[in-house]
Amino acid sequence: MIKLEHVVKRYHGQRDALSRVSLVINKSEMVFVAGHSGAGKSTLLRLIMLLERPTRGRITVNDIDLQSISSAGIAQYRRKIGMVFQDHRLLFDRSVIENVLLPLTILGTERKEAFRRARAALDKVRLLTRERAMPKELSAGEQQRVGIARAVVTRPSILLADEPTGNLDPNLSREVMLLFDEFNRVGVTVVVVSHDLSLISQLGHRQIRLEEGGLI
Amino acid sequence: MLRLKFNNWIFHHRISSAESLSRVLSRPFGSFIICCLIAMTLAFPISGSLLVKNLESLISKVIYEPSLSVFLDDQIPESKGRQIAESIKNWEQIKDLEFLTAEAALLKLGEDSGFGDLLLRLDTNPIPATLLLTLDSYLSYEDSEALGSQLLAIPEISNVIIDHAWLERLKNFLALGYRIIFLLTISLGLAAAIVISSMVKLAIENRREEIVVIKLVGGSDAFLRRPFLYMGLWYGFGGGVLASNLVIFAEALVISQVDALLLSYQSEYKFISLRVVEAVNIAVLGGVLGILGAWGAVIRHVPQIEP
Ligand SMILES: Nc1ncnc2c1ncn2[C@@H]1O[C@H](COP(=O)(O)OP(=O)(O)OP(=O)(O)O)[C@@H](O)[C@H]1O
Ligand SMILES: [Mg+2]
């Protein structure tokens, strides 16, 4: 469960990127976050990931008050959340499977088990045949799917995605959204930032709309 | 649970060390140049200390001729003095003995000190009859001292002076040499650490994107530090190994010359070379310097990179 209470985020001397936002995303729920550019969608996810701290208000994730996490505990906290980025953030000097293995290496998963899980994750995004490929040999949609495999390989209970289909054509976008939907079906809490209103309405999950830092 | 944590820790270290080693080896030429740079800074103080060590043993073994001035009692007649001289002449540590009457001793003192005229104008001779002993060159200062007290036990002998002024000077000189080497070691060691630190800083800059991604997926600072610390270790260790080899190579170049030189002294003096233990220590020292240098870079630059 993700819970925001009167959360304000103000970057250095600017207007509020988020102003007094309160919302609850339930366990195993899937929600879309929509809104114009600059509405504060990325800021919302960055706060949940502890990439930023709120200026005011309280955020609780899986019953943990994020305020109680010191900077030394942030890394540990992030391991429990999967995150997918618009620009997928793959490491281009490592092969596909090595990219997917990275979170497991950080966790210290035993090597054989790690490979098994990484392959399972790649299988889920239907890229098992490309495990030895380098990211630059993949199409944009494939790269994004590797990013998704990396996000889910540790089986996080929460999956966040910031415009994961921003660089993809409608068909690929749909494919990626359906993947998120699949993960949600097995109990993962999924928060997806997206502009793609038609796709959102097709999938039929709850929508959170932000405008100028506020909920509407 | 603890065991699992420990295993994870070992596992992380194995991965990071192997990975950073392969990174270092993947740029063999560049890495070799860096190791050479470190090797040169380390080789200087090492060869310096070898030089001082050799000087010390060379001077004390080959050039040092310990000598004693033995003063006889004022009242002893010359014949008795010569008798004593004869009796100790055969002691095995004594290489050469010269008997000086009180007059001869005064004259010699006058010559040695340059106060000759002044001393000759004295009414009475303050100098007793003297034996000048030259000792075997393998005797140490402590041996000379022991011999001195043995001689003092003879009732006719009033005083023994060990001529060690030059030995003291030598000791001071060597102490200065060692101090200079010490300072050189520290400053050049620091230089080596700084070289490694800037190499690691560059590596961190080059891998900024990777650091960001690792932070995003939950890599701790310790996890991020590790490959760079290992990088410093490998550079420093490589530099240390190279430094030892450089010194051994330089030794080989000079050793034949030195041996030829020493042959003329007909001495059993042996050139002191770098020992294996020392070579290993240098490699370890290089590694430690590498880790310290890398640590300096990592502590400053890794936390600054934020997703
Ligand atoms: N690091 C930052 N420093 C200063 N201001 C920032 C920073 N990040 C975001 N902002 C500001 O906060 C506001 C919200 O930004 P945010 O990135 O959350 O919007 P967004 O809804 O994700 O927009 P987009 O759809 O374009 O990605 C914007 O006005 C933006 O300029
Ligand atoms: Mg955004």
Side-chain angles (χ1 to χ4, degrees):
Chain A
M1 191 182 72
I2 301 167
K3 190 166 155 198
L4 278 75
E5 294 166 84
H6 314 298
V7 169
V8 176
K9 177 63 191 180
R10 181 178 300 152
Y11 294 104
H12 246 50
Q14 295 187 342
R15 65 173 179 80
D16 291 354
L18 285 182
S19 48
R20 295 184 64 76
V21 171
S22 297
L23 59 86
V24 172
I25 299 167
N26 288 311
K27 186 172 171 354
S28 303
E29 191 186 7
M30 179 161 174
V31 298
F32 286 107
V33 179
H36 294 295
S37 179
K41 308 180 294 293
S42 296
T43 300
L44 177 69
L45 294 195
R46 288 178 66 83
L47 286 170
I48 297 170
M49 277 298 277
L50 269 179
L51 290 163
E52 306 284 350
R53 297 274 192 180
T55 312
R56 254 179 286 134
R58 183 209 301 269
I59 304 175
T60 319
V61 176
N62 290 345
D63 296 322
I64 300 166
D65 185 345
L66 296 196
Q67 234 167 357
S68 71
I69 298 177
S70 70
S71 50
I74 289 178
Q76 186 92 37
Y77 166 76
R78 279 187 201 145
R79 289 172 207 168
K80 296 179 191 133
I81 299 179
M83 177 114 188
V84 178
F85 308 89
Q86 179 172 1
D87 54 356
H88 46 70
R89 301 265 179 150
L90 297 181
L91 297 176
F92 279 79
D93 59 349
R94 302 188 194 201
S95 67
V96 165
I97 186 111
E98 281 168 341
N99 268 281
V100 179
L101 279 169
L102 181 63
L104 298 172
T105 307
I106 288 168
L107 279 178
T109 309
E110 190 266 320
R111 208 63 182 158
K112 243 172 150 174
E113 170 69 6
F115 266 98
R116 202 187 58 71
R117 284 211 217 165
R119 292 218 172 88
L122 280 174
D123 191 31
K124 223 168 272 166
V125 298
R126 287 178 301 283
L127 275 176
L128 192 52
T129 53
R130 308 304 306 273
E131 61 170 303
R132 292 281 153 215
M134 297 306 278
K136 67 169 184 295
E137 298 161 13
L138 303 182
S139 72
E142 287 168 333
Q143 286 175 353
Q144 190 56 285
R145 271 145 59 199
V146 176
I148 294 169
R150 184 183 66 190
V152 300
V153 74
T154 55
R155 302 194 193 124
S157 62
I158 295 175
L159 188 57
L160 307 177
D162 195 353
E163 302 191 41
T165 61
N167 294 337
L168 306 180
D169 68 38
N171 276 335
L172 287 174
S173 299
R174 198 186 146 68
E175 202 178 332
V176 164
M177 285 302 186
L178 286 174
L179 264 175
F180 286 120
D181 194 54
E182 262 177 58
F183 290 120
N184 174 243
R185 275 172 219 274
V186 294
V188 180
T189 309
V190 181
V191 182
V192 181
V193 170
S194 180
H195 287 295
D196 200 335
L197 294 174
S198 69
L199 205 53
I200 293 175
S201 56
Q202 273 179 41
L203 286 163
H205 293 289
R206 177 157 71 105
Q207 262 187 63
I208 294 169
R209 292 191 62 82
L210 284 173
E211 198 157 302
E212 306 223 321
L215 283 181
I216 50 172
Chain B
M1 185 62 202
L2 208 68
R3 202 186 138 77
L4 189 77
K5 270 195 167 170
F6 181 71
N7 283 345
N8 276 350
W9 188 80
I10 293 282
F11 171 73
H12 276 172
H13 275 268
R14 260 208 355 244
I15 296 237
S16 313
S17 59
E19 196 188 287
S20 61
L21 183 62
S22 76
R23 259 176 215 279
V24 167
L25 294 179
S26 72
R27 300 174 47 247
F29 185 71
S31 299
F32 181 70
I33 295 290
I34 295 161
C35 287
C36 279
L37 226 78
I38 297 157
M40 280 190 275
T41 58
L42 293 177
F44 262 110
I46 299 161
S47 40
S49 74
L50 267 184
L51 188 74
V52 174
K53 256 192 227 167
N54 273 292
L55 271 180
E56 183 175 16
S57 105
L58 185 73
I59 290 171
S60 62
K61 284 220 176 88
V62 177
I63 302 168
Y64 175 46
E65 289 217 316
S67 60
L68 296 181
S69 299
V70 177
F71 300 105
L72 300 179
D73 230 56
D74 277 343
Q75 272 73 39
I76 305 290
E78 190 181 327
S79 58
K80 177 72 180 160
R82 290 199 183 273
Q83 208 181 317
I84 293 168
E86 272 319 302
S87 71
I88 59 177
K89 192 165 186 166
N90 303 322
W91 288 17
E92 65 172 322
Q93 302 102 313
I94 295 169
K95 202 162 99 183
D96 195 26
L97 185 149
E98 189 185 352
F99 179 82
L100 297 176
T101 61
E103 292 73 36
L106 184 67
L107 227 65
K108 183 160 167 44
L109 179 67
E111 272 168 24
D112 288 356
S113 66
F115 291 116
D117 293 348
L118 205 67
L119 287 170
L120 287 175
R121 263 184 252 148
L122 293 173
D123 294 335
T124 54
N125 182 359
I127 311 288
T130 305
L131 308 179
L132 292 181
L133 309 187
T134 306
L135 308 181
D136 267 337
S137 59
Y138 58 81
L139 290 185
S140 68
Y141 182 68
E142 285 72 27
D143 293 333
S144 313
E145 262 182 336
L147 185 65
S149 34
Q150 235 176 310
L151 287 164
L152 269 178
I154 299 171
E156 287 84 1
I157 289 173
S158 66
N159 202 4
V160 175
I161 292 177
I162 304 172
D163 292 338
H164 66 287
W166 77 273
L167 191 70
E168 283 298 301
R169 236 174 289 141
L170 173 69
K171 275 187 177 165
N172 289 337
F173 177 74
L174 289 172
L176 179 70
Y178 278 121
R179 193 159 303 167
I180 290 171
I181 297 296
F182 178 71
L183 291 177
L184 210 65
T185 307
I186 290 197
S187 50
L188 289 176
L190 202 68
I194 288 170
V195 168
I196 292 169
S197 179
S198 45
M199 289 325 297
V200 170
K201 182 191 169 188
L202 245 146
I204 292 171
E205 287 303 324
N206 283 338
R207 292 165 71 184
R208 173 174 281 273
E209 184 60 22
E210 184 179 345
I211 291 171
V212 166
V213 169
I214 289 174
K215 283 193 175 183
L216 282 173
V217 299
S220 63
D221 277 355
F223 181 86
L224 283 162
R225 278 200 291 269
R226 228 166 274 143
F228 296 108
L229 294 182
Y230 271 109
M231 184 181 198
L233 171 70
W234 297 131
Y235 279 146
F237 183 78
V241 169
L242 218 57
S244 298
N245 283 301
L246 221 68
V247 171
I248 290 167
F249 178 68
E251 257 180 33
L253 284 184
V254 294
I255 207 159
S256 54
Q257 315 283 328
V258 173
D259 279 349
L261 192 78
L262 290 178
L263 214 61
S264 58
Y265 279 91
Q266 295 187 329
S267 149
E268 65 266 58
Y269 171 75
K270 266 262 165 281
F271 189 83
I272 303 175
S273 323
L274 194 69
R275 286 176 298 150
V276 176
V277 193
E278 289 170 322
V280 171
N281 282 345
I282 291 160
V284 171
L285 175 77
V288 170
L289 283 175
I291 292 175
L292 288 180
W295 188 268
V298 161
I299 284 297
R300 270 178 302 148
H301 302 293
V302 169
Q304 276 176 12
I305 299 175
E306 279 294 334

